[in-house]
Every structure is written in C-alpha cells, then in structure tokens.
Amino acid sequence: MIYIYDILLNFNESFYEFYEWEKQDNILHIKRIPVFKIKTSMMEDLLSNKISFKENFCKLIENKTEVFDRKIKVLKYTCLFTDTYQVVGVFINDDYTLSKISDLLLDEEEDTINISSRCHFLEIEYNIIESKVINLFFTRKEITIKKEIENELKKIYKEKDNLKLKYLYFEYFNKLENDIEKMYQDLIYSLKDQVTNKHFKLYELLSLCNGKKSISNLTN
C-alpha cells in the first residue's frame, strides 16, 4: 500500500475546489493516508453520486489514516483516489457509504499524482445509491448566500413579519408593495437568478439583524 504524507484535507458533503475553502472549515492536517489509482469512470461516480463501498475495501483502509492534532488521531475509513488527472480524499461511514469528500491543494495534488504513478489501477467494487444534486452555475459562496436568504425569507413569511418583508422588498426592488404574498414570491423567485449585489445587500441586512457573520467574512 502506498501512502501520501503531510497534506491538508477539507471534508464536506459537497465537493469544493481548494480555492473555495473557508476559514471556518474543519481543515485536517493529515500525517499519512493511503492512495489508490482508479479509472476515470469511478472518479466521475465519486463526484456525482452517493455510493457505498464493499466491506473488503473498507477493511483494507481501516485505521490507516493518521491526523496531526494535539496527539495523533486515526480516521477509520479514509483514503485518497486518483485517476492520474485529479485527486480526491474520501471519508466513509461505518455503514460503508461515502460520507464526505475533499479536494487537495494544487501542489499536493500534483505530488500525489506523481507518487501514484508507482501504483497499479485498482478495481474497487461499489454501488451507486443515487445521483447527487450538483449545481454547476453557482460558487460555494453564492450557494451559501442564496440558501441563507431563502431560509430567512421563509422564517419571516411564516412569522408574518410583514414590516420586515416590506423593508427587504423595497431594498431589493426599490418600490413599495403591500401584497405580502407577492413580496414573498418575488423575493424567493429572485434567488433562481444569478447572485447580484442586491442579494449581497439582502444577506448583509439579514446578517446584521440576526447577529450572524457579515458578507465580508464570506468573501475573505
């Protein structure tokens, strides 16, 4: 088994490119982790589907990954996969389902690909559970902003805070409206479009009202 040493991984349910990692993410400093070379078709399945692995593969990688912390910690079912074009880290649950996935920093990915040239392609058995919903048109920050605004609008609408809804509607559309249903639907519908400065402003206003992190934290 070939190991990769001293890299950073950022496991999330969705795959984020390394340049979309954020300060508050739980970024792990990996001491060592096994790497396996796979076919590109499997790499595509890892990125676009929810999958489960066979027990024999999970036993092969069990407790093989070590993480730097105050003391060395062991991750039960974790490894790297590469198809010689890219590398991903995977975090597998105790039921052998793929739980989280991580990109690598660019230089660490290049090193891993070079080292994995010594590996043979490994045929790994797995089952596709279902396809993931992947949004190719919005960045991680945009998706976060849209989801936060949507959740807040639903909360405001449910609580019948009409005054706040009118204020947000005026800030976005620059016009007054009294029809609560129309205001709510128009604001929700606006989230289907590309994120604009108006959405950033809404997010900022809602964050200030709720004492959450401002947009400046998201964009750093």
mmCIF file of all heavy atoms in Angstrom, residues 127-161:
data_model
loop_
_atom_site.group_PDB
_atom_site.id
_atom_site.type_symbol
_atom_site.label_atom_id
_atom_site.label_comp_id
_atom_site.label_asym_id
_atom_site.label_seq_id
_atom_site.Cartn_x
_atom_site.Cartn_y
_atom_site.Cartn_z
ATOM 1 N N ASN A 127 -21.384 0.425 -5.117
ATOM 2 C CA ASN A 127 -22.745 0.538 -5.640
ATOM 3 C C ASN A 127 -23.171 2.000 -5.653
ATOM 4 O O ASN A 127 -22.873 2.748 -4.710
ATOM 5 C CB ASN A 127 -23.738 -0.258 -4.780
ATOM 6 C CG ASN A 127 -23.484 -1.739 -4.833
ATOM 7 O OD1 ASN A 127 -23.267 -2.304 -5.902
ATOM 8 N ND2 ASN A 127 -23.505 -2.393 -3.675
ATOM 9 N N ILE A 128 -23.853 2.404 -6.700
ATOM 10 C CA ILE A 128 -24.417 3.750 -6.763
ATOM 11 C C ILE A 128 -25.781 3.744 -6.081
ATOM 12 O O ILE A 128 -26.671 2.973 -6.450
ATOM 13 C CB ILE A 128 -24.547 4.224 -8.221
ATOM 14 C CG1 ILE A 128 -23.155 4.360 -8.856
ATOM 15 C CG2 ILE A 128 -25.304 5.552 -8.285
ATOM 16 C CD1 ILE A 128 -23.185 4.735 -10.319
ATOM 17 N N ILE A 129 -25.925 4.581 -5.063
ATOM 18 C CA ILE A 129 -27.190 4.668 -4.325
ATOM 19 C C ILE A 129 -28.156 5.622 -5.025
ATOM 20 O O ILE A 129 -29.297 5.281 -5.300
ATOM 21 C CB ILE A 129 -26.939 5.137 -2.875
ATOM 22 C CG1 ILE A 129 -25.991 4.166 -2.162
ATOM 23 C CG2 ILE A 129 -28.249 5.269 -2.118
ATOM 24 C CD1 ILE A 129 -25.529 4.631 -0.808
ATOM 25 N N GLU A 130 -27.665 6.803 -5.325
ATOM 26 C CA GLU A 130 -28.462 7.792 -6.046
ATOM 27 C C GLU A 130 -27.549 8.902 -6.545
ATOM 28 O O GLU A 130 -26.418 9.040 -6.087
ATOM 29 C CB GLU A 130 -29.556 8.385 -5.147
ATOM 30 C CG GLU A 130 -29.026 9.124 -3.929
ATOM 31 C CD GLU A 130 -30.139 9.669 -3.063
ATOM 32 O OE1 GLU A 130 -31.312 9.536 -3.443
ATOM 33 O OE2 GLU A 130 -29.830 10.245 -1.998
ATOM 34 N N SER A 131 -28.051 9.669 -7.483
ATOM 35 C CA SER A 131 -27.278 10.785 -8.023
ATOM 36 C C SER A 131 -27.323 11.968 -7.065
ATOM 37 O O SER A 131 -28.328 12.202 -6.385
ATOM 38 C CB SER A 131 -27.830 11.202 -9.389
ATOM 39 O OG SER A 131 -27.698 10.152 -10.316
ATOM 40 N N LYS A 132 -26.218 12.708 -7.009
ATOM 41 C CA LYS A 132 -26.186 13.935 -6.222
ATOM 42 C C LYS A 132 -26.784 15.082 -7.029
ATOM 43 O O LYS A 132 -26.726 15.083 -8.260
ATOM 44 C CB LYS A 132 -24.742 14.309 -5.862
ATOM 45 C CG LYS A 132 -24.056 13.351 -4.918
ATOM 46 C CD LYS A 132 -22.632 13.827 -4.662
ATOM 47 C CE LYS A 132 -21.868 12.882 -3.757
ATOM 48 N NZ LYS A 132 -20.466 13.322 -3.577
ATOM 49 N N VAL A 133 -27.353 16.048 -6.329
ATOM 50 C CA VAL A 133 -27.796 17.277 -6.973
ATOM 51 C C VAL A 133 -26.597 18.216 -7.003
ATOM 52 O O VAL A 133 -26.121 18.677 -5.966
ATOM 53 C CB VAL A 133 -28.962 17.932 -6.212
ATOM 54 C CG1 VAL A 133 -29.346 19.250 -6.869
ATOM 55 C CG2 VAL A 133 -30.155 16.984 -6.160
ATOM 56 N N ILE A 134 -26.071 18.480 -8.193
ATOM 57 C CA ILE A 134 -24.863 19.295 -8.345
ATOM 58 C C ILE A 134 -25.200 20.581 -9.076
ATOM 59 O O ILE A 134 -25.776 20.556 -10.164
ATOM 60 C CB ILE A 134 -23.775 18.532 -9.110
ATOM 61 C CG1 ILE A 134 -23.430 17.232 -8.378
ATOM 62 C CG2 ILE A 134 -22.531 19.388 -9.293
ATOM 63 C CD1 ILE A 134 -22.454 16.363 -9.102
ATOM 64 N N ASN A 135 -24.861 21.701 -8.473
ATOM 65 C CA ASN A 135 -25.107 22.993 -9.097
ATOM 66 C C ASN A 135 -23.814 23.484 -9.722
ATOM 67 O O ASN A 135 -22.860 23.821 -9.024
ATOM 68 C CB ASN A 135 -25.617 24.004 -8.060
ATOM 69 C CG ASN A 135 -26.239 25.224 -8.711
ATOM 70 O OD1 ASN A 135 -25.746 25.702 -9.730
ATOM 71 N ND2 ASN A 135 -27.321 25.704 -8.130
ATOM 72 N N LEU A 136 -23.777 23.493 -11.036
ATOM 73 C CA LEU A 136 -22.568 23.870 -11.759
ATOM 74 C C LEU A 136 -22.464 25.364 -12.041
ATOM 75 O O LEU A 136 -21.462 25.818 -12.574
ATOM 76 C CB LEU A 136 -22.506 23.109 -13.089
ATOM 77 C CG LEU A 136 -22.496 21.578 -12.986
ATOM 78 C CD1 LEU A 136 -22.533 20.970 -14.375
ATOM 79 C CD2 LEU A 136 -21.292 21.082 -12.212
ATOM 80 N N PHE A 137 -23.510 26.108 -11.696
ATOM 81 C CA PHE A 137 -23.572 27.504 -12.133
ATOM 82 C C PHE A 137 -23.304 28.510 -11.027
ATOM 83 O O PHE A 137 -23.184 29.695 -11.282
ATOM 84 C CB PHE A 137 -24.944 27.790 -12.750
ATOM 85 C CG PHE A 137 -25.279 26.870 -13.902
ATOM 86 C CD1 PHE A 137 -26.144 25.809 -13.729
ATOM 87 C CD2 PHE A 137 -24.689 27.064 -15.140
ATOM 88 C CE1 PHE A 137 -26.436 24.953 -14.788
ATOM 89 C CE2 PHE A 137 -24.968 26.222 -16.201
ATOM 90 C CZ PHE A 137 -25.849 25.157 -16.017
ATOM 91 N N PHE A 138 -23.216 28.047 -9.772
ATOM 92 C CA PHE A 138 -23.005 28.961 -8.662
ATOM 93 C C PHE A 138 -21.812 28.505 -7.839
ATOM 94 O O PHE A 138 -21.564 27.311 -7.668
ATOM 95 C CB PHE A 138 -24.247 29.037 -7.761
ATOM 96 C CG PHE A 138 -25.484 29.493 -8.473
ATOM 97 C CD1 PHE A 138 -26.488 28.592 -8.795
ATOM 98 C CD2 PHE A 138 -25.644 30.822 -8.845
ATOM 99 C CE1 PHE A 138 -27.629 29.009 -9.458
ATOM 100 C CE2 PHE A 138 -26.777 31.249 -9.507
ATOM 101 C CZ PHE A 138 -27.773 30.338 -9.818
ATOM 102 N N THR A 139 -21.068 29.482 -7.313
ATOM 103 C CA THR A 139 -19.951 29.168 -6.437
ATOM 104 C C THR A 139 -20.474 28.777 -5.064
ATOM 105 O O THR A 139 -21.660 28.946 -4.748
ATOM 106 C CB THR A 139 -19.016 30.380 -6.285
ATOM 107 O OG1 THR A 139 -19.708 31.418 -5.575
ATOM 108 C CG2 THR A 139 -18.557 30.899 -7.651
ATOM 109 N N ARG A 140 -19.560 28.272 -4.233
ATOM 110 C CA ARG A 140 -19.952 27.901 -2.876
ATOM 111 C C ARG A 140 -20.511 29.101 -2.117
ATOM 112 O O ARG A 140 -21.513 28.991 -1.415
ATOM 113 C CB ARG A 140 -18.735 27.327 -2.144
ATOM 114 C CG ARG A 140 -19.029 26.920 -0.703
ATOM 115 C CD ARG A 140 -17.785 26.448 0.016
ATOM 116 N NE ARG A 140 -18.111 26.047 1.372
ATOM 117 C CZ ARG A 140 -17.221 25.607 2.247
ATOM 118 N NH1 ARG A 140 -15.942 25.509 1.899
ATOM 119 N NH2 ARG A 140 -17.581 25.256 3.470
ATOM 120 N N LYS A 141 -19.867 30.257 -2.251
ATOM 121 C CA LYS A 141 -20.331 31.457 -1.550
ATOM 122 C C LYS A 141 -21.721 31.860 -2.018
ATOM 123 O O LYS A 141 -22.580 32.240 -1.222
ATOM 124 C CB LYS A 141 -19.341 32.604 -1.766
ATOM 125 C CG LYS A 141 -17.982 32.393 -1.125
ATOM 126 C CD LYS A 141 -17.090 33.587 -1.327
ATOM 127 C CE LYS A 141 -15.732 33.391 -0.662
ATOM 128 N NZ LYS A 141 -14.935 32.334 -1.318
ATOM 129 N N GLU A 142 -21.951 31.773 -3.328
ATOM 130 C CA GLU A 142 -23.259 32.137 -3.870
ATOM 131 C C GLU A 142 -24.341 31.189 -3.379
ATOM 132 O O GLU A 142 -25.442 31.619 -3.022
ATOM 133 C CB GLU A 142 -23.205 32.155 -5.395
ATOM 134 C CG GLU A 142 -22.397 33.311 -5.961
ATOM 135 C CD GLU A 142 -22.208 33.207 -7.464
ATOM 136 O OE1 GLU A 142 -22.216 32.076 -8.003
ATOM 137 O OE2 GLU A 142 -22.042 34.251 -8.107
ATOM 138 N N ILE A 143 -24.028 29.899 -3.343
ATOM 139 C CA ILE A 143 -25.000 28.917 -2.857
ATOM 140 C C ILE A 143 -25.329 29.177 -1.388
ATOM 141 O O ILE A 143 -26.489 29.118 -0.970
ATOM 142 C CB ILE A 143 -24.452 27.489 -3.045
ATOM 143 C CG1 ILE A 143 -24.377 27.152 -4.538
ATOM 144 C CG2 ILE A 143 -25.330 26.470 -2.323
ATOM 145 C CD1 ILE A 143 -23.649 25.868 -4.843
ATOM 146 N N THR A 144 -24.295 29.506 -0.597
ATOM 147 C CA THR A 144 -24.498 29.801 0.825
ATOM 148 C C THR A 144 -25.392 31.014 1.003
ATOM 149 O O THR A 144 -26.329 31.012 1.814
ATOM 150 C CB THR A 144 -23.144 30.047 1.519
ATOM 151 O OG1 THR A 144 -22.345 28.870 1.415
ATOM 152 C CG2 THR A 144 -23.338 30.408 2.988
ATOM 153 N N ILE A 145 -25.120 32.064 0.254
ATOM 154 C CA ILE A 145 -25.902 33.292 0.349
ATOM 155 C C ILE A 145 -27.356 33.048 -0.037
ATOM 156 O O ILE A 145 -28.288 33.469 0.658
ATOM 157 C CB ILE A 145 -25.275 34.392 -0.534
ATOM 158 C CG1 ILE A 145 -23.966 34.869 0.093
ATOM 159 C CG2 ILE A 145 -26.233 35.575 -0.712
ATOM 160 C CD1 ILE A 145 -23.133 35.736 -0.815
ATOM 161 N N LYS A 146 -27.556 32.347 -1.153
ATOM 162 C CA LYS A 146 -28.921 32.068 -1.620
ATOM 163 C C LYS A 146 -29.699 31.249 -0.589
ATOM 164 O O LYS A 146 -30.868 31.521 -0.312
ATOM 165 C CB LYS A 146 -28.871 31.331 -2.968
ATOM 166 C CG LYS A 146 -28.451 32.222 -4.132
ATOM 167 C CD LYS A 146 -27.929 31.426 -5.304
ATOM 168 C CE LYS A 146 -28.991 30.654 -6.007
ATOM 169 N NZ LYS A 146 -29.851 31.526 -6.840
ATOM 170 N N LYS A 147 -29.043 30.236 -0.016
ATOM 171 C CA LYS A 147 -29.725 29.379 0.955
ATOM 172 C C LYS A 147 -30.056 30.142 2.219
ATOM 173 O O LYS A 147 -31.156 29.983 2.783
ATOM 174 C CB LYS A 147 -28.823 28.173 1.287
ATOM 175 C CG LYS A 147 -29.546 27.077 2.070
ATOM 176 C CD LYS A 147 -30.684 26.491 1.253
ATOM 177 C CE LYS A 147 -31.415 25.407 2.022
ATOM 178 N NZ LYS A 147 -32.568 24.874 1.252
ATOM 179 N N GLU A 148 -29.131 30.989 2.698
ATOM 180 C CA GLU A 148 -29.378 31.778 3.902
ATOM 181 C C GLU A 148 -30.546 32.736 3.697
ATOM 182 O O GLU A 148 -31.414 32.876 4.557
ATOM 183 C CB GLU A 148 -28.113 32.555 4.282
ATOM 184 C CG GLU A 148 -26.990 31.701 4.854
ATOM 185 C CD GLU A 148 -27.235 31.287 6.287
ATOM 186 O OE1 GLU A 148 -28.059 31.932 6.960
ATOM 187 O OE2 GLU A 148 -26.612 30.305 6.717
ATOM 188 N N ILE A 149 -30.558 33.406 2.551
ATOM 189 C CA ILE A 149 -31.654 34.343 2.265
ATOM 190 C C ILE A 149 -32.981 33.598 2.184
ATOM 191 O O ILE A 149 -33.991 34.030 2.737
ATOM 192 C CB ILE A 149 -31.386 35.107 0.948
ATOM 193 C CG1 ILE A 149 -30.183 36.038 1.109
ATOM 194 C CG2 ILE A 149 -32.619 35.926 0.540
ATOM 195 C CD1 ILE A 149 -29.759 36.729 -0.170
ATOM 196 N N GLU A 150 -32.972 32.455 1.490
ATOM 197 C CA GLU A 150 -34.204 31.670 1.356
ATOM 198 C C GLU A 150 -34.748 31.245 2.720
ATOM 199 O O GLU A 150 -35.942 31.362 2.997
ATOM 200 C CB GLU A 150 -33.939 30.442 0.494
ATOM 201 C CG GLU A 150 -35.170 29.566 0.298
ATOM 202 C CD GLU A 150 -34.879 28.323 -0.527
ATOM 203 O OE1 GLU A 150 -33.703 28.096 -0.874
ATOM 204 O OE2 GLU A 150 -35.827 27.574 -0.813
ATOM 205 N N ASN A 151 -33.859 30.751 3.580
ATOM 206 C CA ASN A 151 -34.291 30.309 4.913
ATOM 207 C C ASN A 151 -34.865 31.465 5.723
ATOM 208 O O ASN A 151 -35.879 31.307 6.424
ATOM 209 C CB ASN A 151 -33.114 29.687 5.666
ATOM 210 C CG ASN A 151 -32.715 28.337 5.095
ATOM 211 O OD1 ASN A 151 -33.482 27.690 4.397
ATOM 212 N ND2 ASN A 151 -31.494 27.910 5.392
ATOM 213 N N GLU A 152 -34.209 32.630 5.643
ATOM 214 C CA GLU A 152 -34.683 33.793 6.391
ATOM 215 C C GLU A 152 -36.027 34.296 5.860
ATOM 216 O O GLU A 152 -36.909 34.669 6.628
ATOM 217 C CB GLU A 152 -33.643 34.912 6.343
ATOM 218 C CG GLU A 152 -32.419 34.649 7.201
ATOM 219 C CD GLU A 152 -32.751 34.497 8.675
ATOM 220 O OE1 GLU A 152 -33.614 35.246 9.178
ATOM 221 O OE2 GLU A 152 -32.158 33.620 9.320
ATOM 222 N N LEU A 153 -36.180 34.298 4.533
ATOM 223 C CA LEU A 153 -37.446 34.731 3.941
ATOM 224 C C LEU A 153 -38.589 33.810 4.360
ATOM 225 O O LEU A 153 -39.698 34.268 4.683
ATOM 226 C CB LEU A 153 -37.336 34.766 2.419
ATOM 227 C CG LEU A 153 -36.500 35.901 1.825
ATOM 228 C CD1 LEU A 153 -36.362 35.724 0.315
ATOM 229 C CD2 LEU A 153 -37.124 37.267 2.139
ATOM 230 N N LYS A 154 -38.329 32.514 4.374
ATOM 231 C CA LYS A 154 -39.364 31.555 4.796
ATOM 232 C C LYS A 154 -39.740 31.771 6.254
ATOM 233 O O LYS A 154 -40.918 31.691 6.621
ATOM 234 C CB LYS A 154 -38.858 30.124 4.582
ATOM 235 C CG LYS A 154 -38.806 29.712 3.125
ATOM 236 C CD LYS A 154 -38.278 28.287 2.971
ATOM 237 C CE LYS A 154 -38.287 27.865 1.504
ATOM 238 N NZ LYS A 154 -37.747 26.494 1.314
ATOM 239 N N LYS A 155 -38.720 32.057 7.082
ATOM 240 C CA LYS A 155 -38.978 32.312 8.502
ATOM 241 C C LYS A 155 -39.804 33.587 8.680
ATOM 242 O O LYS A 155 -40.776 33.603 9.452
ATOM 243 C CB LYS A 155 -37.644 32.428 9.233
ATOM 244 C CG LYS A 155 -37.785 32.693 10.725
ATOM 245 C CD LYS A 155 -36.410 32.824 11.370
ATOM 246 C CE LYS A 155 -36.534 33.175 12.848
ATOM 247 N NZ LYS A 155 -35.191 33.366 13.475
ATOM 248 N N ILE A 156 -39.425 34.641 7.975
ATOM 249 C CA ILE A 156 -40.142 35.919 8.071
ATOM 250 C C ILE A 156 -41.586 35.759 7.604
ATOM 251 O O ILE A 156 -42.528 36.266 8.223
ATOM 252 C CB ILE A 156 -39.426 37.001 7.237
ATOM 253 C CG1 ILE A 156 -38.077 37.336 7.875
ATOM 254 C CG2 ILE A 156 -40.281 38.268 7.115
ATOM 255 C CD1 ILE A 156 -37.179 38.177 6.993
ATOM 256 N N TYR A 157 -41.764 35.049 6.509
ATOM 257 C CA TYR A 157 -43.109 34.827 5.953
ATOM 258 C C TYR A 157 -43.957 34.005 6.917
ATOM 259 O O TYR A 157 -45.137 34.315 7.164
ATOM 260 C CB TYR A 157 -42.984 34.130 4.607
ATOM 261 C CG TYR A 157 -44.296 33.847 3.929
ATOM 262 C CD1 TYR A 157 -45.048 34.867 3.348
ATOM 263 C CD2 TYR A 157 -44.782 32.537 3.852
ATOM 264 C CE1 TYR A 157 -46.247 34.604 2.715
ATOM 265 C CE2 TYR A 157 -45.981 32.261 3.224
ATOM 266 C CZ TYR A 157 -46.708 33.299 2.654
ATOM 267 O OH TYR A 157 -47.908 33.026 2.026
ATOM 268 N N LYS A 158 -43.360 32.953 7.487
ATOM 269 C CA LYS A 158 -44.086 32.088 8.420
ATOM 270 C C LYS A 158 -44.488 32.842 9.676
ATOM 271 O O LYS A 158 -45.581 32.639 10.220
ATOM 272 C CB LYS A 158 -43.219 30.885 8.787
ATOM 273 C CG LYS A 158 -43.911 29.863 9.675
ATOM 274 C CD LYS A 158 -43.001 28.666 9.939
ATOM 275 C CE LYS A 158 -43.708 27.643 10.823
ATOM 276 N NZ LYS A 158 -42.836 26.456 11.080
ATOM 277 N N GLU A 159 -43.605 33.730 10.141
ATOM 278 C CA GLU A 159 -43.893 34.509 11.351
ATOM 279 C C GLU A 159 -44.762 35.731 11.067
ATOM 280 O O GLU A 159 -45.091 36.490 11.974
ATOM 281 C CB GLU A 159 -42.575 34.948 11.993
ATOM 282 C CG GLU A 159 -41.749 33.780 12.533
ATOM 283 C CD GLU A 159 -40.406 34.228 13.086
ATOM 284 O OE1 GLU A 159 -40.041 35.407 12.870
ATOM 285 O OE2 GLU A 159 -39.725 33.403 13.722
ATOM 286 N N LYS A 160 -45.072 35.941 9.793
ATOM 287 C CA LYS A 160 -45.921 37.063 9.347
ATOM 288 C C LYS A 160 -45.342 38.411 9.770
ATOM 289 O O LYS A 160 -46.083 39.319 10.206
ATOM 290 C CB LYS A 160 -47.356 36.906 9.878
ATOM 291 C CG LYS A 160 -48.039 35.652 9.351
ATOM 292 C CD LYS A 160 -49.467 35.527 9.864
ATOM 293 C CE LYS A 160 -50.129 34.274 9.304
ATOM 294 N NZ LYS A 160 -51.520 34.109 9.775
ATOM 295 N N ASP A 161 -44.018 38.516 9.647
ATOM 296 C CA ASP A 161 -43.359 39.786 9.955
ATOM 297 C C ASP A 161 -43.438 40.661 8.701
ATOM 298 O O ASP A 161 -42.464 40.838 7.970
ATOM 299 C CB ASP A 161 -41.902 39.527 10.364
ATOM 300 C CG ASP A 161 -41.244 40.763 10.965
ATOM 301 O OD1 ASP A 161 -41.778 41.877 10.751
ATOM 302 O OD2 ASP A 161 -40.201 40.615 11.635
#
